[in-house]
Amino acid sequence: MRIAFQKAHFLLSVASVKQLPPDTGAEIAFAGRSNAGKSSALNTLTQQKSLARTSKTPGRTQLINFFEIDNDRRLVDLPGYGYAKVPEAQKQKWQALIDAYFRKRESLVGLVLLMDIRHPLKPFDEQVIAWAKSCSLPLHILLTKSDKLKYGAAKKTLDEVKRALPSELISVQLFSSLKKTGLDECEQVLSSWMCSNRLGG
Ligand code: GDP
């Protein structure tokens, strides 16, 4: 079954775990360093030009933004992260929020990590990978902007990242919002997570 990602619409933004929407159904969270191409990927997946713009409006960049597909399914845009200029106190607040979200959220069925194919596996990415592992959460990695490299170079990076992360719970693919490369593969992985037993297929 293929999920109708294009039905996604903004639900709410939260600044603390107390404000999370009801923990029912299935949701998939998206994480990535600032500029990794997360907004573009969310817009590509949902076939909408500006869905993820909400997450970039001033005041919302450090919030968890929820998009609802239907009553049982949500996409979750985690705050972008990674510019060195973010103050330490802000980083710690962000980490505490995400950590609490990962640990408590029963409906979280999987995590998508976006990494610019030219700058993979930075410390922030390693931290997200460690989080997913410690929570035994399935992780799907998009190597974004794959159009920026020739196919041979992109494939080499794909193989290197796969080799660096040997785990049944981790999958990796090439992705380009610009060229729509890998969209089908991404939709398949996310649909299979969302149609897991929890929702009865
Ligand atoms: P975010 O900060 O992670 O939400 O990243 P954005 O989606 O805003 O993208 C950051 C920059 O990368 C923007 O200038 C985008 O136009 C560019 N970008 C995003 N996806 C792609 C892609 O698939 N190919 C190329 N060439 N550029 C992209």
Side-chain angles (χ1 to χ4, degrees), residues 33-40 56 145 147-148 175-178:
R33 299 168 69 233
S34 304
N35 221 34
K38 180 157 57 74
S39 305
S40 303
K56 293 208 153 189
K145 312 184 198 178
D147 58 276
K148 294 263 192 189
F175 192 85
S176 163
S177 290
L178 191 70

Side-chain angles (χ1 to χ4, degrees), residues 1-13:
M1 182 180 152
R2 201 58 81 94
I3 299 293
F5 293 106
Q6 75 278 7
K7 286 193 189 156
H9 53 271
F10 178 70
L11 181 63
L12 85 167
S13 303

